[in-house]
Amino acid sequence: MFSALRKRLHLSPATVIASVAFVFALTGGAFAASKYVITSTKQIKPSVLASLKGKAGPAGPAGSAGAAGPAGGSGAAGEKGAAGSNGTNGTNGKDGVSVTSKSFAGAKGSCKAGGSEFLSSSGTTFACNGESAQSSAFLQEGATETGVVSTISLAAGGGYLPISFSIPLEGPLSSGQVHFVTQAEVTGHSAPEACKGTAAAPTAKAGNLCVYEGENGLVNTEVVEIENPALNHVLGASADGCYLVVSFKESPAWVKATWAVTG
């Protein structure tokens, strides 16, 4: 067969052998390729595999935050803490005292005409009955009222300078209960015992009237006496007030004084 083919195609022996080898090579290579397919990196030599790896790329952008997870359940209750350094329990308070009251007649406490006495845990208080219209209009015992009196005279001579009590006294004052105090007596501490105030802050002991010479003094004027206007030319003061009898030595002249009277 090959002889007839060779003759027809005019092939030399060498050409035939080369063709056969060529065909074998092609079919053998295909056979090898179909038999040794690489399916795992383990089939590749490590040094070759290492050379095939590329460098790591840059990190990608951060992803958006995921949705919040469900809330966890309540934890178990903790143990009771120890008492602090000042954590001792306080003592129980005492029972309160109910308010009690009782009525009384006559003078008691701050009341002069009877009233009610109230006793509580905070002490004793009084609710007084009203006094008669006549006695309630008087200056109460120990209470003080004050005032200012002044005048100017354009002619020499004498005059009367009235002092009126806004709250009348229960009775008149005698000459021994009425006092005129000069500035010299105040600064020299020689004022009457009943009058230890000043013109700026007049005071008087109970049952006394004290008239204090003004801070600017008496200019060309002298207080002669203090008279009871209810009893003409009688020294002292009535329940409603009194007169300062002044002497104006020259003109013009003026006088200023402050006063205090205590019931």
Side-chain angles (χ1 to χ4, degrees):
M1 175 181 178
F2 286 107
S3 175
L5 182 63
R6 179 175 61 81
K7 289 180 179 182
R8 178 177 290 186
L9 296 177
H10 305 284
L11 297 174
S12 65
T15 301
V16 173
I17 293 170
S19 298
V20 172
F22 176 74
V23 171
F24 179 78
L26 290 175
T27 58
F31 175 77
S34 63
K35 185 175 182 180
Y36 294 101
V37 175
I38 297 174
T39 60
S40 174
T41 56
K42 294 181 179 181
Q43 296 174 262
I44 303 175
K45 188 176 180 179
S47 60
V48 176
L49 184 63
S51 65
L52 296 176
K53 289 184 177 180
K55 295 182 179 180
S64 58
S74 301
E79 296 181 359
K80 183 178 180 180
S85 57
N86 294 326
T88 56
N89 294 329
T91 58
N92 294 331
K94 296 181 179 180
D95 294 336
V97 178
S98 298
V99 177
T100 59
S101 64
K102 60 181 179 179
S103 300
F104 61 89
K108 186 175 183 180
S110 58
C111 301
K112 294 186 177 181
S116 297
E117 178 181 1
F118 297 89
L119 177 65
S120 67
S121 58
S122 59
T124 302
T125 56
F126 297 92
C128 302
N129 294 335
E131 299 180 14
S132 64
Q134 183 178 4
S135 63
S136 62
F138 295 147
L139 184 65
Q140 299 298 308
E141 182 179 350
T144 301
E145 59 179 309
T146 60
V148 179
V149 61
S150 63
T151 190
I152 296 176
S153 177
L154 300 179
Y160 292 86
L161 193 59
I163 293 177
S164 297
F165 303 147
S166 57
I167 304 175
L169 306 179
E170 289 194 41
L173 301 177
S174 66
S175 60
Q177 296 173 288
V178 176
H179 316 274
F180 183 79
V181 184
T182 66
Q183 290 189 56
E185 289 177 313
V186 173
T187 56
H189 304 288
S190 57
E193 186 63 28
C195 307
K196 293 301 183 181
T198 64
T203 63
K205 285 191 174 182
N208 286 269
L209 167 66
C210 298
V211 182
Y212 295 87
E213 181 181 347
E215 292 293 334
N216 296 320
L218 302 178
V219 179
N220 298 325
T221 304
E222 179 183 10
V223 174
V224 179
E225 57 190 9
I226 301 176
E227 289 188 0
N228 183 340
L231 302 172
N232 192 23
H233 301 298
V234 176
L235 302 183
S238 72
D240 297 308
C242 61
Y243 287 132
L244 292 185
V245 182
V246 295
S247 173
F248 302 112
K249 299 178 180 179
E250 298 178 12
S251 62
W254 62 278
V255 61
K256 177 181 179 182
T258 60
W259 57 268
V261 62
T262 301

